[in-house]
Amino acid sequence: MENMVTFLDLIKDIEFRKFSSNRLSVGTGDFDYFFPDILPPLYKYTRIEDYVIDNIINNQISATRIGEFNDLFDGAFHQYGTLKERGDFAQKEWKKIEKQQISAKLPEMLEEDYCVDIWKKHLKEESRLKFRELDYLNTFVCCFSTQNNSTLMWSHYAASNTGICIEYNFNLLGEESIIRHSIFPVAYSDLPVNLQDLLDDTNHKVFKYSLDSAVLCAALNKANAWKYEQEWRIVLVLAPLNQNGKWMSLCAPDPSSVIFGYHFLKPFFYYNDNKLSGNAKESIKKTKNC
């Protein structure tokens, strides 16, 4: 009996990586896009929290369930998204039924408007289920950047420069590490990359692992508005596992460096202790002891 191949197996497979990389390159029109073997230095912007300090001490990073992201473009399958797309597809399905009725010389038992309407409703429901399928598949993501000097990211992710930016060299994890093989550059585009043929490829005519490739492509495709972030992502699909919760901890190498925000010392000197929450006070104490 053949062993089941999981997403964690496929991300180490050269053919799978090449197919998925090429699909994103063509789909976004970025023909310089590829999955490199050697990873660049990657940076994690963050505010100071208890779990951040614990992660640094314990060589860990936190991945987030992809359904928690607030960008509708992000990690979603856009299938039959518009009314026109659903109408066009429903019309094609009706033509097939009509052709079969004529070929079999059957009396007209079904009306066109009725059949088209049924298909539209079905496609609308199907698109809703597909839209967040990555979340149903237990997809977890951890985000990084190749930049450590982005004013916007220091503001958004590092609490207005009061946080830190952690540098990692994931090449140190070695060739056998699942985490190292799960790190990919994000592919940016104005519209979501069209993955319809992969989602419909139930007979594996397009590619042997079409759905898995579609999942990875959807997890790595973001709107051009975010291109300034120069984002890379750890993407893990844990469908066979019963992984509950919004976050999970992953192994990480020792940080190569920790960059302190311009206003990092602000909580120490400019805020009255009475205005700080209990968590903030404890985090500051831990930071002082590091």
Side-chain angles (χ1 to χ4, degrees):
M1 179 175 155
E2 188 177 350
N3 291 332
M4 182 179 71
V5 177
T6 69
F7 183 85
L8 301 183
D9 297 313
L10 290 174
I11 56 177
K12 296 187 288 185
D13 181 79
I14 294 174
E15 184 184 7
F16 177 80
R17 292 174 68 89
K18 185 176 180 180
F19 178 88
S20 302
S21 173
N22 185 64
R23 187 57 186 252
L24 283 170
S25 174
V26 173
T28 60
D30 180 1
F31 298 104
D32 293 325
Y33 180 88
F34 69 105
F35 296 165
D37 294 325
I38 304 299
L39 303 172
L42 296 176
Y43 299 91
K44 182 74 174 175
Y45 293 84
T46 180
R47 63 179 65 241
I48 290 292
E49 299 281 1
D50 285 354
Y51 80 90
V52 174
I53 304 301
D54 289 339
N55 280 348
I56 293 174
I57 294 171
N58 298 313
N59 286 7
Q60 292 182 328
I61 47 178
S62 296
T64 305
R65 186 180 289 275
I66 204 166
E68 296 300 311
F69 293 171
N70 57 14
D71 184 352
L72 293 180
F73 198 123
D74 202 350
F77 286 137
H78 297 263
Q79 185 180 34
Y80 313 123
T82 68
L83 187 61
K84 184 179 185 306
E85 287 174 335
R86 293 196 291 271
D88 290 345
F89 190 90
Q91 199 65 46
K92 286 180 183 178
E93 291 303 310
W94 161 249
K95 292 296 183 185
K96 291 179 186 177
I97 294 172
E98 187 180 42
K99 186 177 180 180
Q100 289 169 352
Q101 283 187 156
I102 294 172
S103 176
K105 297 181 180 179
L106 295 172
E108 290 189 14
M109 296 179 289
L110 298 171
E111 295 182 0
E112 178 178 351
D113 290 345
Y114 174 79
C115 285
V116 168
D117 189 51
I118 290 293
W119 265 105
K120 283 181 180 178
K121 290 178 180 177
H122 167 73
L123 293 172
K124 185 176 182 179
E125 195 62 34
E126 182 74 7
S127 66
R128 284 175 177 170
L129 292 173
K130 286 284 185 186
F131 184 69
R132 281 302 181 194
E133 187 162 329
L134 269 71
D135 199 27
Y136 307 145
L137 292 173
N138 266 342
T139 305
F140 286 82
V141 169
C142 187
C143 306
F144 303 89
S145 173
T146 57
Q147 310 295 312
N148 63 15
N149 59 353
S150 167
T151 301
L152 287 174
M153 284 191 283
W154 273 109
S155 176
H156 292 163
Y157 304 122
S160 299
N161 277 270
T162 62
I164 58 177
C165 181
I166 311 167
E167 178 186 1
Y168 292 102
N169 178 4
F170 284 97
N171 297 299
L172 297 176
L173 292 179
E175 284 295 328
E176 297 304 312
S177 168
I178 286 291
I179 299 300
R180 179 175 174 180
H181 286 287
S182 69
I183 302 175
F184 308 92
V186 165
Y188 299 95
S189 57
D190 289 326
L191 296 173
V193 170
N194 188 347
L195 303 171
Q196 189 64 55
D197 59 328
L198 298 182
L199 296 174
D200 292 339
D201 188 30
T202 54
N203 295 321
H204 309 294
K205 292 181 179 179
V206 178
F207 184 57
K208 187 176 180 181
Y209 302 108
S210 295
L211 180 58
D212 296 275
S213 181
V215 167
L216 180 58
C217 290
L220 293 175
N221 185 207
K222 289 188 70 173
N224 265 330
W226 301 101
K227 195 169 185 177
Y228 72 90
E229 292 187 344
Q230 296 299 295
E231 185 180 341
W232 286 57
R233 289 182 161 186
I234 292 175
V235 178
L236 293 172
V237 180
L238 307 175
L241 305 177
N242 185 23
Q243 179 65 40
N244 296 318
K246 298 178 181 179
W247 301 279
M248 67 178 298
S249 295
L250 305 174
C251 294
D254 286 325
S256 302
S257 67
V258 177
I259 304 169
F260 295 88
Y262 185 77
H263 297 300
F264 177 77
L265 295 178
K266 206 172 183 180
F268 294 92
F269 299 112
Y270 297 106
Y271 288 148
N272 185 315
D273 266 0
N274 293 328
K275 294 181 180 179
L276 294 174
S277 68
N279 287 340
K281 289 178 183 178
E282 288 302 315
S283 294
I284 289 172
K285 287 178 183 176
K286 284 188 177 182
T287 309
K288 287 179 178 178
N289 294 328
C290 285

